[in-house]
Amino acid sequence: MELSARARAAREAIEPVTSFFLSLRALDGQDDDVDLTFGDPHEMPLPELVDALRTQLEPRSEDWFAYKSSLAPARETVAAGLRAELGLDRHDDQPSRTHVRTPEGARPSGRRGARPDQSV
């Protein structure tokens, strides 16, 4: 199977890390060897690290984890990705909709009461 250019670039970017970890395998099983590559797992993390993570992970509003694809930064990012990867000249201000077609009588997920051929 042929890899995409993006997948090949990712593989090349991670290669030094992969090589490093493969070189550690030569030390496996040695009684006097201790792998502290990522620190000692028995030590508590630094309080400053925990505070920094907590600050960024705790939701700051009701919609903190909501999908925000309608906001300008999200639309601009998607438009830039479509241009870069697929060559699509899409501007972030162009509307986009998902059309859901469901069997007659079934209710599509999304807005309650939408008709089967209605955009949601």
Side-chain angles (χ1 to χ4, degrees):
M1 179 171 88
E2 187 174 336
L3 293 175
S4 68
R6 185 176 176 188
R8 283 193 305 275
R11 182 181 58 193
E12 291 168 9
I14 197 72
E15 195 281 326
V17 176
T18 304
S19 294
F20 171 74
F21 282 111
L22 288 174
S23 72
L24 292 178
R25 286 192 178 171
L27 302 174
D28 281 351
Q30 295 183 13
D31 292 336
D32 59 347
D33 182 55
V34 177
D35 182 3
L36 299 175
T37 303
F38 293 109
D40 184 346
H42 301 287
E43 286 182 13
M44 293 297 289
L46 296 172
E48 296 84 359
L49 174 62
V50 174
D51 289 341
L53 290 171
R54 183 180 296 117
T55 297
Q56 297 305 316
L57 291 174
E58 287 181 352
R60 297 183 193 138
S61 71
E62 179 181 293
D63 296 327
W64 191 253
F65 296 111
Y67 295 110
K68 298 179 181 173
S69 58
S70 62
L71 300 179
R75 291 193 321 266
E76 291 164 3
T77 300
V78 170
L82 289 171
R83 276 192 299 276
E85 287 201 33
L86 303 175
L88 297 178
D89 188 22
R90 181 164 185 88
H91 302 285
D92 73 303
D93 60 345
Q94 288 177 312
S96 62
R97 295 182 177 267
T98 300
H99 294 280
V100 177
R101 294 199 183 275
T102 59
E104 188 62 37
R107 180 175 287 167
S109 62
R111 198 171 40 165
R112 275 185 81 135
R115 293 188 317 271
D117 63 341
Q118 186 178 8
S119 297
V120 293

